[in-house]
Amino acid sequence: MSGQSITDRITAAQHSVTGSAVSKTVCKATTHEVMGPKKKHLDYLIHCTNEMNVNIPQLADSLFERTTNTSWVVVFKSLITTHHLMVYGNERFVQYLASRNTLFNLSNFLDKSGLQGYDMSTFIRRYSRYLNEKAVSYRQVAFDFTKVKRGVDGVMRTMNTEKLLKTIPIIQNQMDALLDFNVNANELTNGVINAAFMLLFKDSIRLFAAYNEGIINLLEKYFDMKKTQCKEGLDIYKKFLTRMTRISEFLKVAEQVGIDRGDIPDLSQAPSSLLEALEQHLASLEGKKVKDSTAASRASTLSNAVSSLASTGMSFTKVDEREKQAALEEEQARLKALKEQRLKELSKRPSFATTDTSPISTTGGTISTAPAIDLFSTPSCSNGAVKMESDLFDLQSTFQPSMQSGSSGLPVATAWAGYSTPQAPPQQSAGGLQVDFESVFGAKATGSNSLNSDDITGGILKPTLAGSNQPPGQLPEKLVSDDLDSSLANLVGNLGIGNGTMKK
């Protein structure tokens, strides 16, 4: 079976409708395609584990739900996706799995659809057992052995005797579950089981490195332990020797399937004389008769054994660091490729060039840095003279009516309902604007009061009275600024008085 099945597409569409991006991605990572989960889907789910607004129980439940499928491909890929998130995802994902009473109940799983289903079902049962044990180990010690700090000042090297004797058996159980996968090179026949094997291979290196450091710490403390502790310690060491043989066989399979020899650590066996020295020390504590051995010989044997195990630990650590460096370089290369792709997309986009008539166009490709005009600011003063920036007041001269040469010196109305002594207007060009006030007021009216340099308002709200050339006997009129009709009536009345005086 190859390609996404109709069931895969329908399930993904259902999650698209419900708006669950996480569940949809889980379905896409666990399709019926006989290949490992796609990296883009795994990366997205890893990102989800780092987002605080993502519901981790919902993510885990989506994976558990996929393991109830009858297809070995879907179930196997669900386990691989879960393992991938346990290794590379946020720690809170592992914490949630460790808090559950049960994880994968696949001890009886069997796909009877074909011969390959029978074969792969065996490895699914073994793989699910390892993942369960990995979660249980975290529950017991509250940390992941594959991510624990290593080295002279590492967790396993600095652990006290009581805690060490309780912790090493937990590592042994997890190591046993991993090695029980027990796959041969000729059984790695498809992309699904190959993906699972690679994750197990990486876990085996990190897990055995922590296991090895715990044994070194145990040997350094062995000759100072009590009798019961020595008995437990000797049993732990014997089991360690057995697991060293099994891990060596597991690494041979990795080499056979094409993993680079430089990525496979070297195992250095401790001298057989060490086991003999440990047994003799325990026998002496139990009161049994043993052959005499000096403290110097015991120290020499212990030193050689610790040196061999430390060499093994360094080899495992180097491989792990190399794998981390390769992953980092791969991520940097991916980010570089994404950056280049983004630059190409931006370069292909059409440029929105402006024309000369555009209000946002610039001259010579430059942007004007002139300060913007503040329409609500106070006019600035220079050399004691007030300069009005607004063109609003310049409109008064534009609408100034023409005057006849024989005009009388009567007060006329300004554009703002004030009174002022008329002045001779400048000659306007033939193309100037001519306003006929006769059609409005029934008589010729002229007048425009030029702005006073010492009046900042330009006489807008200041009434003016008739000048000294006012005819005798004429009383000044009172300005009614709040009533336009009254002002116009006064204007017409004054014009009538003026005409009558001229006739006399």
Side-chain angles (χ1 to χ4, degrees), residues 22-36:
V22 173
S23 299
K24 179 181 178 181
T25 307
V26 168
C27 291
K28 287 184 172 293
T30 58
T31 59
H32 288 76
E33 296 174 281
V34 186
M35 58 180 292

Side-chain angles (χ1 to χ4, degrees), residues 261-315:
R261 186 67 185 86
D263 295 333
I264 301 176
D266 297 323
L267 291 176
S268 299
Q269 295 282 350
S272 57
S273 58
L274 175 62
L275 179 59
E276 183 180 355
L278 297 177
E279 291 174 339
Q280 288 183 358
H281 178 70
L282 177 60
S284 65
L285 292 178
E286 293 176 344
K288 297 178 181 179
K289 186 177 180 180
V290 294
K291 62 180 181 180
D292 296 334
S293 60
T294 62
S297 63
R298 287 187 305 182
S300 176
T301 302
L302 179 61
S303 176
N304 292 335
V306 170
S307 177
S308 298
L309 295 177
S311 176
T312 298
M314 288 295 296
S315 178

Side-chain angles (χ1 to χ4, degrees), residues 420-478:
S420 63
T421 303
Q423 297 181 358
Q427 295 293 331
Q428 296 185 0
S429 61
L433 178 64
Q434 299 295 331
V435 181
D436 187 5
F437 282 91
E438 186 175 2
S439 62
V440 178
F441 300 107
K444 288 286 184 180
T446 62
S448 176
N449 190 21
S450 61
L451 294 178
N452 230 349
S453 62
D454 58 350
D455 185 2
I456 193 170
T457 62
I460 296 176
L461 301 177
K462 181 179 179 181
T464 56
L465 299 177
S468 58
N469 57 349
Q470 180 179 358
Q474 181 177 349
L475 297 177
E477 294 293 333
K478 182 179 180 181

Side-chain angles (χ1 to χ4, degrees), residues 203-484:
D203 265 15
S204 67
I205 293 176
R206 298 165 184 165
L207 185 60
F208 191 81
Y211 189 14
N212 187 73
E213 289 191 351
I215 294 298
I216 293 176
N217 189 13
L218 175 69
L219 294 177
E220 291 174 341
K221 291 179 167 62
Y222 183 82
F223 294 101
D224 298 326
M225 290 180 183
K226 300 176 183 179
K227 182 175 66 175
T228 55
Q229 292 175 336
C230 285
K231 190 174 182 179
E232 291 180 26
L234 181 60
D235 183 61
I236 288 174
Y237 181 72
K238 289 179 179 179
K239 292 180 179 178
F240 172 76
L241 295 177
T242 303
R243 283 155 185 78
M244 278 197 75
T245 304
R246 294 188 64 189
I247 191 68
S248 177
E249 296 173 354
F250 184 84
L251 296 179
K252 287 181 182 179
V253 175
E255 186 177 356
Q256 292 172 2
V257 297
I259 295 179
D260 196 305
R261 186 67 185 86
D263 295 333
I264 301 176
D266 297 323
L267 291 176
S268 299
Q269 295 282 350
S272 57
S273 58
L274 175 62
L275 179 59
E276 183 180 355
L278 297 177
E279 291 174 339
Q280 288 183 358
H281 178 70
L282 177 60
S284 65
L285 292 178
E286 293 176 344
K288 297 178 181 179
K289 186 177 180 180
V290 294
K291 62 180 181 180
D292 296 334
S293 60
T294 62
S297 63
R298 287 187 305 182
S300 176
T301 302
L302 179 61
S303 176
N304 292 335
V306 170
S307 177
S308 298
L309 295 177
S311 176
T312 298
M314 288 295 296
S315 178
F316 275 79
T317 301
K318 287 181 180 179
V319 170
D320 188 24
E321 292 297 330
R322 193 180 301 117
E323 192 267 337
K324 290 180 180 179
Q325 182 64 29
L328 180 62
E329 291 176 355
E330 180 183 354
E331 184 67 17
Q332 290 177 345
R334 188 176 69 88
L335 292 176
K336 183 179 179 180
L338 289 175
K339 182 179 180 181
E340 293 176 353
Q341 181 181 1
R342 181 60 177 168
L343 292 176
K344 289 180 180 179
E345 292 176 356
L346 292 176
S347 63
K348 292 179 181 179
R349 289 184 178 179
S351 58
F352 298 96
T354 58
T355 61
D356 293 340
T357 58
S358 172
I360 61 173
S361 62
T362 58
T363 303
T366 60
I367 299 176
S368 175
T369 57
I373 299 176
D374 189 356
L375 298 178
F376 302 98
S377 62
T378 305
S380 59
C381 298
S382 176
N383 299 328
V386 179
K387 296 182 178 180
M388 307 300 295
E389 295 293 341
S390 176
D391 292 337
L392 180 61
F393 300 99
D394 296 337
L395 295 175
Q396 186 173 358
S397 59
T398 303
F399 292 99
Q400 193 175 35
S402 59
M403 294 184 64
Q404 297 180 3
S405 58
S407 175
S408 63
L410 295 176
V412 296
T414 66
W416 301 97
Y419 294 94
S420 63
T421 303
Q423 297 181 358
Q427 295 293 331
Q428 296 185 0
S429 61
L433 178 64
Q434 299 295 331
V435 181
D436 187 5
F437 282 91
E438 186 175 2
S439 62
V440 178
F441 300 107
K444 288 286 184 180
T446 62
S448 176
N449 190 21
S450 61
L451 294 178
N452 230 349
S453 62
D454 58 350
D455 185 2
I456 193 170
T457 62
I460 296 176
L461 301 177
K462 181 179 179 181
T464 56
L465 299 177
S468 58
N469 57 349
Q470 180 179 358
Q474 181 177 349
L475 297 177
E477 294 293 333
K478 182 179 180 181
L479 175 65
V480 184
S481 59
D482 58 320
D483 190 344
L484 180 59

Side-chain angles (χ1 to χ4, degrees), residues 92-140:
R92 65 195 189 112
F93 181 77
V94 184
Q95 290 174 347
Y96 173 73
L97 296 183
S99 67
R100 292 176 60 102
N101 294 327
T102 58
L103 292 181
F104 301 108
N105 186 18
L106 299 172
S107 57
N108 298 319
F109 177 80
L110 181 62
D111 185 348
K112 301 179 181 180
S113 60
L115 181 60
Q116 192 177 32
Y118 275 95
D119 294 338
M120 293 298 109
S121 295
T122 301
F123 296 107
I124 286 175
R125 294 193 295 268
R126 297 173 183 175
Y127 194 28
S128 64
R129 178 176 176 268
Y130 169 70
L131 295 181
N132 287 341
E133 193 63 41
K134 185 178 177 71
V136 170
S137 297
Y138 188 95
R139 183 193 308 166
Q140 292 175 321

